[in-house]
Amino acid sequence: MATTVIAATLATPAAAVAADASFERHMTFAIAPTDLRSAISQFSRATGVQVLVTPIEVQGRRTAGVGGTHSVRDALHMLLQGTGLTASVHGDVAVLTPAAGARKAQPRAVRTAATTVADPTPATAPGDDVPVPDIIVSGYRESLQRAQDLKRRAVGTEDDILATDIASFPDLNLAESLQRVPGVTITRDSGEGRQIALRGLGADFTRTQLNGMEVLGNAASGMDNRGAVSRSRSFDYSLFASELFNRVAVQKSFSADQDEGGIAGTVQLSSARPFDYAGTKFVISAKGQTNDNTSGVTPRVVGLASGHWGDFGALVSVAYSEIKSNEYGYRNWGWGLTKYNAANIGPTVDAATRAKLLAGVYQPTAQSPSSWYTDRKRLGVTTSLQYHPGTRFKLDIDGLYGRLQDHRDDYALATAGTNALTGTSIAGAQVIQSAVIDDSNTLRAANFTGIDLRSEHHIVENQTDFYQGVANASWDVTDRLSVHALGGYEESDFGQPVFDKVFMELKNTPFSYDDQPTVPVNTYGKDITDPNNWALQRLDTQENKITNQYANAKLDGAYKLTDTLTFKAGAEFKHFINSGYTWVNKVFHNVPADVAIPNDLKQGVGVDTLTQYIVGNVDGVYSYIGDPRVLTVANLQAGSDYRVDEKTWAGFAQLDLDTRLAGMRLRANAGVRYYSTDLLSSGHLSQVINGVTAFVPVDVGTNSHGVLPAANLALDVADDIVVRLSASRNVNRPGLGDLAAAGSITTRPNGGTLSLGNPYLKPYKATSVEGGVEWYMGHSGFASVGFFYKHMDSFIVASTQQIPYGQTGLPLSLLVQGEDANTIFDVSQPINGPGASIKGVEVAAQHDFTFLPGVLKHLGMVANGTWFDGHQTVFYSGVPRDLPLYNLSKWAANATLYYENALWGVRVSDAYRSQYLTAASNALANAGDGIKGTNNVDFQAHVNVRPGVRLIVEGINLTNEPIQQFASVDYDRPEVYTTSGRTFTFGITAEF
């Protein structure tokens, strides 16, 4: 078979009789003595030459290497000296075959790291036992080829992303790379990808593991419309630099030997290890980064040093970057039903419109041009020690430290002063003079007099420190018995010691807005840039702290019952603790009137904005007024100091099968997993005591347990076609905020919101079935189609209602000026709702266009598309409403067109996702908050200036795609329209 394929390759029009000129180029080589496959891979990366060879011919062979300056042709022949192989050149392809009289190589055990990506050749050839040819390519094509090999050999459905080397991950951010995987979509914040949704289920449903251990980390959003400080199970991919990793595996199928959790799937992150590389390795990368919404150039620097000496290897890598972004545009704080008193409706308003205003209309609570400037510093350090004596025992110890620091400078102008447009009623000096109300009872445009404006200047400093240490040991006790053990600990500490706001007020101005254009338009009747029109209204200070602690221990073994059947069993213990608090101090300075401050304590907006206006200088105003900026436990916000303590014991048993069925190779696994989770939620809950609703301290303990069966099979129905089927039962634990014995409150003039936790929630439980067909076109590409269906017989949903604050049980001391026990609040709480289901179809293809003539043969394409459909039932004051699942885009598609030859390469990527919901919103007539569809275009280009040295240019978000959030899936009420600018990097990467 191999001879036939090689002959067919040589017969293609792409092959030339004369050697390609690329083989006559002279280059400097530094390939050390090593195994032949690694050496050929290094040779191919350095020269861009494709090398065609049967895998069995390179197994067990070594090379003395090649050094110095030679032609590409001569270097290849030198590399092969003493190996028993010879090269024949056809066009720009070199074909390796045994030299006349040479002895055929015998396979031998090759020591590799547990998660190595340096040698992706399957242990047995895919399809059947007949060897297939192996093309060694370089750069982006090499990473695609290796990912294809890993996908093919998996039993369940899996997709992989590989870096061909450290500092060469395909994108600047792990989330940006993951969006290229079929079924993965991402959310963006502050100009970069933040969290992922997998197969239409949000970040809380995807388990992320780092070097085999689950990873949890918290960060803060640049905008509180997107959740502000994240306190959940979902992993924030902005926490780590992408350069720290050389493989990301997205496992969509569940098997019994995997950790339970992650109904959507598991994302496995792997950092670099010394045995991933042949010999000593040094890499340095230095880039500059800029964004067209900011000024200046910031650094992005990576370094790696790796080596191994006999049985011992050590590696350290460091990545540091600074990113400046400014996301700015228009923001409404939210929509709600607002009633106007008769005195607040002008005489020019017609009778029909007056009646609607008296009964209540839906309007935005604050029409706000806003800017969110972020100066972000990211540091990551990985270490790896490996001890591999012989081939039977392996010990890998990995450490990772990550630090994410944000300095934010935010600005906003809103109709939120004393006489505001916020809240459920308009009853002050405000007068509406004209109104445009559509058939959905939405106030789309209006003209007012007597409005008090409020500006905000907000300084935030926060930092997340992440630590992880994990050890993996494996021991082949006998030829049939092997044992694996994992032990690890990690901690994520989020601190936000600075959160200071200055609110200024401009009194009694005409104001109008129009939400009908794509970007809403405001008009102001007074000069909002005149500092004499502004005085101090209020100062807010806040401090936040969140700590995640996670300990993990696993022990499992595998016993080979026969040559085709293996029995696996194991046990695991996990202990997770989440704790934190919020301290708040809000001081009003507007009674009996706003406090006058000197004009030199006032300033304009210091970053790009839709319109200029006056804000207070934060440091100057706090110093002038004397309010405290350092808080204590006396400033604790009620309900924020909750703690979740979770302990899980689990065990599994599984059978793995690798055999032949009717001449076809069959790989399968089937097993069961048992788990038992004890949860203790500590905090405060609203309870009725002696007929009075009060907020009291509680400790709520619960237990959940169950048996999770799973089965997966992959059948090679032909040499190039794999059919997969999977069925499983899995569980997903509720979000941390949902389990909290606590509540979080947001206050505003004349109203607010209260989000309560529920420690009595049951886990999500899902039954999943999926299948797919994959066609592998040698090493030139693949095509696949897959489907899945998940039914969740328990699903946590939101229950919302609008009630007077006095009925919540919270103390009146939490209210701000102008609020009392009768003020209407939007109150939401998660409950155990009815089940939900989701189904979908995924199609994907990748192909190198080697069949094209001339230079076009260096083109290639990767593309995929998905269709998902899933629904949930949400309750509004007890009334059910069917809504799409949160984070589910019904349609998504990705495409990358690439060109790569020996000297340079370029690729352009497009990522589209359709509209999706993010929350339930506050009322049935306003159901469903969400984000409109996005289409992001990125690119990367490089030039190889010499072997191992390349110049790189990258661009993210080339079209400056806006983020558009809305309230009401039925009536499309605009909430946010912002852009974050285009990001470009340029620099150099060198390896030696």
Side-chain angles (χ1 to χ4, degrees):
M1 175 180 174
T3 304
T4 302
V5 177
I6 293 174
T9 303
L10 301 184
T12 60
V17 176
D20 191 279
S22 60
F23 280 89
E24 308 308 322
R25 290 179 293 117
H26 279 69
M27 302 174 61
T28 301
F29 294 87
I31 300 177
T34 184
D35 65 277
L36 185 55
R37 178 179 172 82
S38 296
I40 294 174
S41 181
Q42 294 179 62
F43 174 85
S44 186
R45 284 199 299 269
T47 63
V49 168
Q50 292 188 353
V51 180
L52 187 67
V53 63
T54 304
I56 196 170
E57 298 297 350
V58 294
Q59 288 185 11
R61 300 189 191 271
R62 295 186 62 83
T63 176
V66 58
T69 301
H70 310 278
S71 70
V72 173
R73 179 192 300 274
D74 290 343
L76 179 56
H77 287 300
M78 295 173 66
L79 197 68
L80 298 177
Q81 286 181 2
T83 65
L85 297 180
T86 184
S88 56
V89 174
H90 304 266
D92 62 354
V93 176
V95 179
L96 307 188
T97 56
R103 182 176 58 87
K104 195 177 197 68
Q106 296 300 315
R108 68 177 181 87
V110 179
R111 179 179 58 205
T112 57
T115 59
T116 182
V117 297
D119 185 5
T121 305
T124 58
D128 55 32
D129 294 332
V130 179
V132 297
D134 191 17
I135 300 176
I136 308 296
V137 296
S138 61
Y140 185 61
R141 286 188 176 186
E142 181 185 5
S143 69
L144 292 176
Q145 183 186 107
R146 292 178 174 179
Q148 176 183 320
D149 290 337
L150 291 167
K151 175 183 178 70
R152 186 171 186 174
R153 78 175 72 168
V155 178
T157 304
E158 178 176 313
D159 290 284
D160 294 84
I161 307 172
L162 300 178
T164 53
D165 220 326
I166 194 78
S168 61
F169 215 81
D171 293 278
L172 299 178
N173 177 290
L174 283 177
E176 305 281 350
S177 286
L178 281 165
Q179 72 177 322
R180 319 285 180 214
V181 171
V184 175
T185 52
I186 68 172
T187 59
R188 288 180 170 83
D189 186 73
S190 301
E192 63 179 342
R194 187 181 182 195
Q195 293 181 334
I196 72 167
L198 178 56
R199 287 185 161 180
L201 294 171
D204 275 338
F205 294 91
T206 302
R207 181 181 60 243
T208 302
Q209 292 184 321
L210 171 60
N211 294 325
M213 180 178 172
E214 190 165 353
V215 57
L216 298 156
N218 297 106
S221 168
M223 185 193 300
D224 48 9
N225 278 64
R226 301 186 194 132
V229 177
S230 169
R231 190 170 177 182
S232 69
R233 295 185 194 274
S234 57
F235 180 63
D236 195 323
Y237 285 88
S238 66
L239 184 59
F240 297 141
S242 63
E243 291 92 343
L244 298 176
F245 306 96
N246 60 6
R247 178 184 173 187
V248 176
V250 181
Q251 298 169 332
K252 300 175 182 178
S253 304
F254 176 67
S255 58
D257 60 352
Q258 294 178 348
D259 287 5
E260 76 284 349
I263 284 176
T266 296
V267 176
Q268 295 274 7
L269 307 178
S270 298
S271 58
R273 288 171 171 168
F275 286 138
D276 291 350
Y277 306 102
T280 302
K281 186 81 164 181
F282 296 97
V283 179
I284 185 70
S285 175
K287 300 176 184 177
Q289 184 163 314
T290 186
N291 180 281
D292 57 13
N293 276 11
T294 63
S295 60
V297 176
T298 56
R300 191 178 185 98
V301 181
V302 181
L304 174 142
S306 175
H308 42 89
W309 306 268
D311 298 329
F312 178 78
L315 177 148
V316 61
S317 69
V318 180
Y320 173 81
S321 62
E322 182 177 354
I323 302 170
K324 293 182 179 180
S325 68
N326 179 36
E327 185 176 351
Y328 74 95
Y330 196 96
R331 172 196 176 205
N332 288 319
W333 289 349
W335 291 74
L337 187 67
T338 302
K339 297 181 179 180
Y340 285 75
N341 287 347
N344 300 102
I345 304 174
T348 58
V349 176
D350 62 83
T353 302
R354 177 182 294 271
K356 293 179 180 178
L357 293 170
L358 290 170
V361 294
Y362 277 89
Q363 71 176 49
T365 58
Q367 304 78 11
S368 174
S370 303
S371 301
W372 296 268
Y373 175 86
T374 302
D375 186 347
R376 170 168 289 175
K377 296 179 176 64
R378 185 184 287 115
L379 172 67
V381 180
T382 72
T383 60
S384 180
L385 300 175
Q386 291 186 285
Y387 177 57
H388 291 188
T391 59
R392 289 192 173 276
F393 181 78
K394 298 176 182 179
L395 175 63
D396 304 325
I397 302 175
D398 300 290
L400 187 145
Y401 169 73
R403 169 176 287 185
L404 181 67
Q405 292 177 294
D406 279 352
H407 175 89
R408 299 214 311 269
D409 201 358
D410 304 338
Y411 304 85
L413 174 65
T415 54
T418 304
N419 293 288
L421 296 180
T422 60
T424 56
S425 64
I426 302 296
Q430 316 92 310
V431 177
I432 186 168
Q433 303 292 352
S434 66
V436 176
I437 304 173
D438 67 11
D439 294 341
S440 66
N441 200 34
T442 302
L443 185 62
R444 299 290 182 180
N447 197 334
F448 301 87
T449 56
I451 297 297
D452 297 336
L453 301 178
R454 190 183 76 183
S455 72
E456 300 179 28
H457 187 193
H458 183 197
I459 298 294
V460 178
E461 293 181 4
N462 58 54
Q463 178 173 305
T464 300
D465 288 289
F466 178 89
Y467 314 82
Q468 188 199 67
V470 58
N472 281 275
S474 60
W475 179 29
D476 293 338
V477 183
T478 69
D479 291 339
R480 291 187 174 275
L481 176 63
S482 62
V483 177
H484 169 261
L486 177 147
Y489 175 81
E490 69 184 32
E491 183 170 326
S492 173
D493 297 317
F494 171 85
Q496 189 164 261
V498 177
F499 183 103
D500 299 330
K501 277 189 179 182
V502 172
F503 295 90
M504 305 288 289
E505 190 172 35
L506 181 153
K507 292 280 194 178
N508 191 25
T509 180
F511 168 77
S512 65
Y513 75 85
D514 187 349
D515 279 340
Q516 297 169 105
T518 302
V519 183
V521 177
N522 292 355
T523 304
Y524 305 94
K526 286 187 177 181
D527 185 359
I528 57 177
T529 64
D530 183 355
N532 295 305
N533 289 334
W534 294 88
L536 178 65
Q537 184 205 38
R538 178 175 132 201
L539 296 179
D540 281 7
T541 303
Q542 186 180 125
E543 294 185 25
N544 296 83
K545 179 70 175 179
I546 302 171
T547 298
N548 287 326
Q549 297 169 291
Y550 183 59
N552 193 193
K554 301 179 186 179
L555 179 64
D556 56 80
Y559 185 78
K560 196 169 185 179
L561 299 171
T562 69
D563 290 341
T564 61
L565 189 63
T566 301
F567 174 72
K568 294 180 178 178
E572 179 178 12
F573 173 73
K574 295 183 286 188
H575 186 194
F576 172 63
I577 300 173
N578 175 275
S579 59
Y581 61 81
T582 299
W583 296 344
V584 176
N585 188 46
K586 298 182 179 182
V587 181
F588 282 81
H589 294 278
N590 60 344
V591 177
D594 290 341
V595 172
I597 60 175
N599 282 351
D600 62 1
L601 299 181
K602 306 169 187 176
Q603 65 179 70
V605 177
V607 298
D608 287 351
T609 177
L610 291 178
T611 185
Q612 272 290 341
Y613 47 93
I614 293 298
V615 298
N617 179 284
V618 173
D619 291 338
V621 172
Y622 268 90
S623 178
Y624 180 81
I625 297 298
D627 283 356
R629 298 181 74 179
V630 178
L631 305 182
T632 68
V633 69
N635 302 105
L636 177 68
Q637 178 176 294
S640 69
D641 58 336
Y642 66 88
R643 173 187 169 103
V644 174
D645 190 314
E646 189 177 80
K647 295 178 181 179
T648 299
W649 290 93
F652 79 92
Q654 177 175 298
L655 285 172
D656 287 2
L657 179 67
D658 190 345
T659 187
R660 304 194 73 82
L661 177 66
M664 300 176 291
R665 186 182 179 198
L666 172 65
R667 292 166 293 142
N669 60 58
V672 293
R673 187 176 187 89
Y674 175 79
Y675 73 94
S676 178
T677 300
D678 292 312
L679 180 117
L680 180 64
S681 183
S682 304
H684 294 75
L685 284 179
S686 178
Q687 295 186 355
V688 178
I689 301 176
N690 297 325
V692 178
T693 303
F695 216 53
V696 297
V698 294
D699 290 308
V700 179
T702 60
N703 174 268
S704 61
H705 57 275
V707 176
L708 307 174
N712 303 272
L713 70 84
L715 180 65
D716 296 342
V717 298
D719 291 346
D720 53 0
I721 296 177
V722 181
V723 174
R724 301 185 194 276
L725 289 174
S726 298
S728 65
R729 180 82 168 160
N730 204 349
V731 65
N732 211 104
R733 297 176 179 90
L736 298 175
D738 291 345
L739 287 171
S744 62
I745 185 172
T746 301
T747 56
R748 60 177 184 263
N750 306 316
T753 60
L754 176 62
S755 298
L756 298 173
N758 183 356
Y760 299 101
L761 292 174
K762 299 176 182 178
Y764 302 86
K765 293 181 179 180
T767 300
S768 302
V769 293
E770 61 183 276
V773 180
E774 299 162 6
W775 173 35
Y776 292 90
M777 295 164 271
H779 279 295
S780 62
F782 78 94
S784 67
V785 59
F787 72 91
F788 73 92
Y789 174 79
K790 297 178 186 292
H791 176 74
M792 288 164 274
D793 49 28
S794 60
F795 196 80
I796 297 167
V797 298
S799 174
T800 68
Q801 56 182 329
Q802 295 178 310
I803 60 175
Y805 179 83
Q807 295 181 17
T808 68
L810 291 171
L812 296 178
S813 60
L814 298 180
L815 296 176
V816 299
Q817 188 182 83
E819 297 178 334
D820 57 31
N822 296 314
T823 302
I824 301 298
F825 267 62
D826 297 328
V827 180
S828 65
Q829 185 175 38
I831 61 173
N832 294 307
S837 62
I838 184 171
K839 56 190 174 184
V841 177
E842 301 171 346
V843 294
Q846 182 265 318
H847 205 282
D848 294 331
F849 297 159
T850 51
F851 56 87
L852 294 176
V855 296
L856 295 179
K857 65 177 174 289
H858 299 295
L859 283 168
M861 184 184 70
V862 183
N864 64 73
T866 57
W867 173 85
F868 299 140
D869 187 43
H871 297 270
Q872 62 182 320
T873 302
V874 178
F875 294 87
Y876 300 91
S877 299
V879 178
R881 165 69 194 269
D882 183 72
L883 286 178
L885 293 172
Y886 302 146
N887 295 289
L888 183 149
S889 289
K890 196 159 193 174
W891 298 96
N894 289 274
T896 297
L897 181 67
Y898 55 88
Y899 181 94
E900 193 166 48
N901 61 25
L903 296 178
W904 63 278
V906 63
R907 63 179 181 268
V908 179
S909 300
D910 182 87
Y912 167 78
R913 69 176 301 186
S914 62
Q915 173 179 297
Y916 59 99
L917 296 187
T918 57
S921 196
N922 54 5
L924 182 63
N926 195 43
D929 289 343
I931 297 180
K932 293 190 174 183
T934 57
N935 194 72
N936 287 78
V937 180
D938 311 320
F939 88 98
Q940 184 189 76
H942 71 268
V943 176
N944 297 317
V945 296
R946 57 167 296 169
V949 180
R950 62 171 47 187
L951 300 177
I952 301 173
V953 178
E954 297 154 310
I956 301 295
N957 191 24
L958 296 183
T959 59
N960 197 19
E961 182 76 358
I963 295 177
Q964 300 181 71
Q965 295 179 233
F966 61 87
S968 177
V969 69
D970 301 311
Y971 305 123
D972 190 19
R973 293 161 177 157
E975 198 162 49
V976 170
Y977 183 101
T978 60
T979 59
S980 56
R982 304 165 183 85
T983 299
F984 298 94
T985 68
F986 50 91
I988 187 170
T989 296
E991 58 178 276
F992 49 92

